[in-house]
Amino acid sequence: MEEQYKGHVIRVTTEKDNSAFPWIPICRILDGASREFIKQIDWPIGYDTPDRAEKAGLIISKKWIDAGKP
């Protein structure tokens, strides 16, 4: 999943492990103009479907951007 947000590009992918909630979001935040990599957020909480993991990753990424982190 990829989305533009406040001058950034958010890319969320998922990885699967063998836990009860196997889908974990991997969030990458890029500069919207240059596409330069800014931050990767590894979220340790798993979800039961890849769709839910992607949606959670999108929310996490937006909160990071809204907080004004460098």
Side-chain angles (χ1 to χ4, degrees), residues 8 12-13 20 24-25 28 34 39 46 51 56 58 66-67:
H8 297 80
V12 181
T13 57
I24 297 173
R28 292 174 187 89
S34 69
K39 174 78 174 171
D51 186 52
L58 193 60
D66 289 343

Side-chain angles (χ1 to χ4, degrees), residues 2 4 7-9 11 29-38:
E2 186 171 294
Q4 298 278 338
H8 297 80
V9 176
R11 281 191 194 147
I29 300 171
L30 313 172
D31 180 76
S34 69
R35 297 263 180 172
E36 182 179 340
F37 176 80
I38 297 173

Side-chain angles (χ1 to χ4, degrees), residues 3-60:
E3 183 174 309
Q4 298 278 338
Y5 184 73
K6 294 186 178 180
H8 297 80
V9 176
I10 300 170
R11 281 191 194 147
V12 181
T13 57
T14 58
E15 289 184 0
K16 187 175 182 183
D17 65 15
N18 293 323
S19 66
F21 296 98
W23 296 99
I24 297 173
I26 307 296
C27 313
R28 292 174 187 89
I29 300 171
L30 313 172
D31 180 76
S34 69
R35 297 263 180 172
E36 182 179 340
F37 176 80
I38 297 173
K39 174 78 174 171
Q40 178 169 316
I41 301 171
D42 297 318
W43 189 248
I45 299 172
Y47 298 87
D48 58 346
T49 67
D51 186 52
R52 286 186 181 178
E54 284 182 347
K55 288 178 183 175
L58 193 60
I59 291 167
I60 295 159

